[in-house]
Amino acid sequence: MSKLLIPTNYKSSQDLYKTQLLIKEIKDYFQINLANNLNLKRVSAPLFVPRSTGLNDNLSGNEEPVTFTLPFANDQSMEIVHSLAKWKRFALKEYKFKNHEGLYTDMNAIRRCEEPDNTHSFYVDQWDWELIIDEADRNELFLKRIVKIIYRTMKSLDEYLCGLIPKRSKLLKDEITFITSEELMQKYPDKDDKERERLITKEYGSVFLMQIGKVLSDGSKHDDRAPDYDDWLLNGDILVYNPVLDNALELSSMGIRVNPHRLNEQLKQSGNLDRLKFDYHRLLLDGKLPLTIGGGIGQSRLCMFFLQKAHIGEVQVSYWPDEQRKALANKGIQLL
C-alpha cells in the first residue's frame, strides 16, 4: 500500500456538493485572472499525440505513457499525454503569436506509473500555459518576474475565497521566497529532497525552488527533469506549506525553455541524444520554434490546498486502490 497520511481529527469543512461549487469558483476565478495577468489566450489541446513526433512529456524519463494504436489510421501508435510541455511550444508557432503573447489550456493526462497518495493521482489535471519571449528574457530576473505574477494571482484567489467561505483565513504569505536546489541542499545537507522541501516551506510558507534537474555539488540532483523542455538553470517549482498534511505541496512546475544550445547540452548530459530524431527536436534545433517560458499549474492541487483537503481525491475523480479508499472511508474522508 502506498504511503497514506490521515491527519488526526481531520474533517472536511464542506460536503460533497459544496465542495463542487467551490471547485468551480476556484477554477473560474484563477484561470481568468491568470490569462489577464500573463497575456494568455485559451486554446484547445490534445489528449493523445503520435508517438513518432516526440511531443509527449517524458517527465523524469522512467515513466511509460499509456499507448494504443488506431486501426483505421494505419495502426498509428499514439500516447496519452503526460503533460503538454513540448506541444505548447509547437502550438505557439502554429498560432503565430507574437512576443510576450501566450496560450493556456486545460490539460488532462494519465500517468499510469504514478504512486497514488494524498497528493498524487493516476489522473492529472492542470492549466498548461506557455508565453513567447525573446533571447534577452532568458535570465533569472525575468523568470522571477513571471513567478511573482503567478504568485500574485494565487494570492488574489486566496483573498477572494475569504469572501466566499465564512471564517476562512488567508493561507499564503505576502511574498514568495526564492532559493536554488544547491542552496537548499547546503541548508539541510543531512536531509533528503522531500524533507528539505517540507522544512523550507514550513519556515517561509511559499517558496520557488530553482534549478531542478541540475547536478548539485555533491553529485546528486534534487529531482529529475526531462532534458528537452525546461532549461535546468532557469526553472523551478512553486511550493507552499500545507498545514493539513504538515508538508510541502507543489502547485506549479515551470521554467524558461531550452534554446538549441541548451537542448544539445542537456541531451548530452542525460544520455538522450537519440531524441534528436524526433520532429519536435529537429524543429527546435533549426530555430523554427519560438523561445518560450511556460509551465503547469495543478488544478486539483490548487483546489486541495485552498479548500484545505487532506486528500486530492476529495477534489478530483480518479481511481484509488481499494485499501486506500477503505482506510479513508473508515476515517470519514469521502472521495469523489
Side-chain angles (χ1 to χ4, degrees):
M1 179 173 171
S2 304
K3 186 177 179 182
L4 185 68
L5 175 63
I6 303 178
T8 305
N9 299 323
Y10 170 77
K11 187 179 186 306
S12 175
S13 56
Q14 302 95 21
D15 62 23
L16 277 184
Y17 190 63
K18 179 63 173 176
T19 296
Q20 291 283 7
L21 290 174
L22 288 171
I23 288 172
K24 184 177 187 305
E25 291 283 353
I26 288 171
K27 290 184 177 181
D28 288 350
Y29 184 93
F30 185 79
Q31 69 182 344
I32 289 170
N33 284 278
L34 181 73
N36 289 336
N37 293 341
L38 284 180
N39 193 27
L40 308 175
K41 298 177 176 67
R42 191 189 184 284
V43 302
S44 300
L47 177 61
F48 45 86
V49 293
R51 189 182 187 95
S52 61
T53 61
L55 279 175
N56 204 358
D57 181 354
N58 297 90
L59 301 176
S60 69
N62 300 313
E63 299 86 351
E64 280 293 322
V66 176
T67 61
F68 61 95
T69 58
L70 299 172
F72 294 103
N74 300 315
D75 287 324
Q76 175 71 253
S77 180
M78 310 296 292
E79 293 180 349
I80 302 287
V81 296
H82 278 148
S83 86
L84 299 172
K86 289 180 277 189
W87 175 86
K88 292 175 294 182
R89 197 165 175 179
F90 180 79
L92 284 170
K93 170 182 176 292
E94 294 298 295
Y95 281 109
K96 297 181 172 56
F97 282 4
K98 297 182 174 124
N99 196 29
H100 296 142
E101 291 180 341
L103 60 81
Y104 79 97
T105 190
D106 289 299
M107 192 287 302
N108 296 289
I110 298 174
R111 296 185 183 175
R112 58 179 291 274
C113 296
E114 195 71 79
E115 186 175 8
D117 57 21
N118 292 73
T119 61
H120 295 86
S121 171
F122 298 120
Y123 168 64
V124 178
D125 57 340
Q126 64 186 34
W127 291 286
D128 254 316
W129 64 274
E130 201 82 8
L131 183 72
I132 294 178
I133 61 174
D134 57 34
E135 189 64 43
D137 297 322
R138 298 192 76 261
N139 58 71
E140 190 176 293
L141 188 64
F142 184 82
L143 173 65
K144 288 180 176 180
R145 182 163 77 82
I146 298 298
V147 170
K148 288 177 181 177
I149 291 172
I150 295 171
Y151 187 68
R152 188 171 72 239
T153 309
M154 291 179 178
K155 278 182 56 186
S156 177
L157 171 62
D158 198 15
E159 293 169 0
Y160 174 69
L161 289 172
C162 287
L164 292 181
I165 303 172
K167 300 180 180 178
R168 182 186 185 276
S169 298
K170 286 192 291 186
L171 294 168
L172 293 178
K173 300 288 187 181
D174 288 341
E175 303 292 337
I176 189 167
T177 297
F178 293 88
I179 189 170
T180 67
S181 54
E182 176 70 26
E183 290 167 339
L184 186 64
M185 187 269 290
Q186 296 290 347
K187 186 175 176 68
Y188 306 112
D190 58 337
K191 305 297 183 184
D192 66 21
D193 299 347
K194 294 306 172 188
E195 182 62 11
R196 290 171 189 165
E197 291 181 3
R198 189 185 78 85
L199 291 171
I200 196 70
T201 55
K202 194 163 188 177
E203 181 175 355
Y204 292 104
S206 303
V207 172
F208 187 67
L209 178 60
M210 299 186 290
Q211 298 183 356
I212 298 177
K214 175 186 175 184
V215 177
L216 305 178
S217 59
D218 66 354
S220 70
K221 293 181 181 180
H222 181 83
D223 198 2
D224 284 321
R225 288 292 155 87
D228 46 7
Y229 53 94
D230 278 357
D231 186 328
W232 295 336
L233 303 178
L234 294 168
N235 72 348
D237 291 346
I238 295 178
L239 308 171
V240 294
Y241 178 68
N242 184 9
V244 172
L245 299 177
D246 184 30
N247 208 348
L249 181 65
E250 177 193 320
L251 296 181
S252 175
S253 177
M254 59 174 288
I256 291 174
R257 308 309 196 183
V258 290
N259 58 13
H261 170 70
R262 289 296 296 158
L263 174 66
N264 262 321
E265 287 291 309
Q266 292 182 181
L267 288 177
K268 285 177 187 175
Q269 289 175 35
S270 60
N272 284 294
L273 284 172
D274 60 310
R275 294 190 191 177
L276 292 176
K277 66 187 178 188
F278 292 122
D279 296 342
Y280 168 84
H281 300 75
R282 290 200 301 268
L283 286 170
L284 204 162
L285 285 179
D286 290 343
K288 294 180 179 178
L289 295 179
L291 298 175
T292 62
I293 183 173
I297 301 169
Q299 295 184 10
S300 292
R301 288 277 184 94
L302 205 71
C303 293
M304 179 187 176
F305 175 69
F306 282 114
L307 297 180
Q308 287 294 276
K309 302 290 189 179
H311 195 281
I312 197 168
E314 294 180 86
V315 295
Q316 177 199 93
V317 179
S318 185
Y319 174 81
W320 308 100
D322 288 343
E323 64 270 25
Q324 281 197 16
R325 191 175 283 276
K326 288 175 184 175
L328 292 162
N330 287 338
K331 294 296 184 178
I333 298 176
Q334 191 172 5
L335 304 183
L336 298 183

